[in-house]
């Protein structure tokens, strides 16, 4: 849905760009007005580019300069909407109890990834077994599920280019004894049984885990303020 909006927005943007290139502001304005009508409720972020002054007429006229920038930003958003992937990240009960929530979130934030869902939950043992179903043959499965369901877990979805693979890099190797310094487990954990964080290990598990922990309405799609500084091609 949101990428549909982005695509529509970018189509509009391209139409506006050709209008502005023909150097006729009134023509651009007419096109924009038509586009705004067709978007109805979803026009807020588009029309805001043109209505900065508060006075409708001044706002539209001053758009002659703002137009190319607006078009650039909208086209940018279309590209990112198409490429962005999401991953499931959870701070396990040991990480929550040790007060590492802010430390861990800040590492993903500072990298440039975007938080699109978050909640603190105590999963049931059955839920933990579903989450770790791949490991049910392993000797530590029961203990692992007991542990995951023993206290609050901070469940999150992070979005960004390459976030699934790079999220795993930020987290570090499963066994903190083997995790590199600089990684979350390398810096903040000591043993495999208390390695403080979970991250999806591939696109399929990311999709399954996001679906297990969150309902679609809990995932928030938005454009981050810094996105145009985090992403870009020269
Ligand atoms: P991952 O969390 O790095 O993806 P997995 O192999 O998927 O690692 O294992 C899931 C979790 O099971 C680990 O994060 C860790 O908490 C636990 N675990 C993995 N291997 C062992 C082990 O050998 N002993 C005890 N717990 C383990
Ligand atoms: Mg795993």
């Amino acid at each position: 849905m949101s990428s549909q909006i982005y695509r529509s927005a970018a189509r509009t943007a391209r139409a506006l760009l050709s209008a502005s290139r023909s150097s006729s502001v009134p023509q651009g304005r007419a096109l924009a007005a038509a586009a705004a009508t067709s978007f109805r409720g979803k026009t807020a972020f588009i029309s805001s580019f043109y209505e900065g002054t508060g006075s409708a007429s001044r706002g539209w006229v001053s758009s002659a300069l703002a137009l190319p920038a607006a078009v650039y930003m909208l086209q940018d958003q279309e590209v990112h909407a198409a490429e962005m992937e999401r991953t499931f990240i959870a701070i396990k009960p040991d990480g929550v109890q040790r007060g590492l929530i802010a430390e861990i979130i800040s590492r993903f934030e500072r990298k440039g990834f975007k938080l699109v869902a978050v909640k603190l939950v105590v999963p049931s043992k059955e839920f933990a077994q579903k989450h770790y179903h791949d490991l049910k043959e392993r000797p530590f499965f029961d203990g692992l599920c007991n542990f995951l369901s023993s206290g609050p877990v901070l469940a999150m979805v992070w979005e960004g280019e390459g976030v699934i693979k790079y999220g795993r890099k930020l987290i570090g190797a499963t066994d903190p004894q083997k995790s590199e310094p600089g990684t979350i487990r390398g810096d903040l954990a000591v043993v495999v049984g208390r390695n403080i964080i979970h991250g999806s290990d591939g696109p399929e598990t990311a999709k399954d885990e996001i679906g297990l922990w969150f309902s679609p309405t809990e995932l928030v799609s938005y454009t981050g303020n810094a996105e145009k500084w985090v992403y870009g091609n020269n």
Side-chain angles (χ1 to χ4, degrees):
M1 186 58 189
S2 65
S3 64
Q4 245 178 333
I5 296 170
Y6 285 135
R7 269 194 294 277
S8 308
R11 261 200 309 277
T12 310
R14 277 191 292 272
L16 291 172
L17 183 59
S18 25
S20 71
R21 275 185 185 141
S22 74
S23 81
S24 157
V25 172
Q27 192 186 344
R29 176 182 171 174
L31 253 171
T37 311
S38 71
F39 280 114
R40 294 205 177 84
K42 299 185 177 90
T43 56
F45 73 102
I46 300 167
S47 52
S48 67
F49 285 122
Y50 306 103
E51 293 172 352
T53 62
S55 135
S57 54
R58 275 172 57 220
W60 285 108
V61 172
S62 67
S63 72
L65 276 179
L67 200 55
V71 168
Y72 174 78
M73 287 169 71
L74 286 170
Q75 285 176 327
D76 243 23
Q77 285 172 12
E78 174 188 37
V79 171
H80 296 145
E83 285 174 5
M84 285 307 161
E85 62 181 47
R86 290 175 169 180
T87 191
F88 174 71
I89 301 290
I91 304 179
K92 300 182 194 180
D94 45 348
V96 173
Q97 293 293 351
R98 289 179 52 202
L100 295 173
I101 289 175
E103 166 74 38
I104 290 170
I105 285 184
S106 78
R107 291 182 181 219
F108 281 82
E109 258 184 343
R110 276 156 41 201
K111 169 73 177 165
F113 293 140
K114 182 168 72 181
L115 185 64
V116 295
V118 60
K119 64 184 172 189
L120 191 66
V121 288
V122 181
S124 66
K125 180 154 183 196
E126 293 65 39
F127 190 92
Q129 287 166 336
K130 272 190 203 157
H131 172 76
Y132 278 129
H133 66 94
D134 280 355
L135 299 171
K136 62 176 178 292
E137 310 300 337
R138 308 295 290 275
F140 55 82
F141 178 69
D142 196 54
L144 176 63
C145 294
N146 282 336
F147 179 64
L148 193 73
S149 56
S150 70
V153 171
L154 193 80
M156 297 175 280
V157 178
W158 285 87
E159 184 181 283
E161 214 170 293
V163 70
I164 300 174
K165 206 165 173 190
Y166 209 91
R168 294 281 296 191
K169 276 196 186 182
L170 288 178
I171 289 171
T174 303
D175 180 355
Q177 295 286 332
K178 296 179 183 145
S179 311
E180 294 297 324
T183 65
I184 291 167
R185 286 168 174 164
D187 288 350
L188 306 169
V190 182
V191 297
V192 71
R194 297 290 181 269
N195 63 4
I196 69 171
I197 183 167
H198 167 85
S200 306
D201 62 10
E204 281 306 306
T205 43
K207 190 166 163 281
D208 291 350
E209 290 170 1
I210 291 169
L212 176 66
W213 288 79
F214 290 96
S215 66
T217 55
E218 290 175 307
L219 303 170
V220 183
S221 293
Y222 62 99
T223 302
N225 258 340
E227 251 163 74
K228 63 180 191 288
W229 303 109
V230 173
Y231 297 101
N233 295 313
N234 298 322

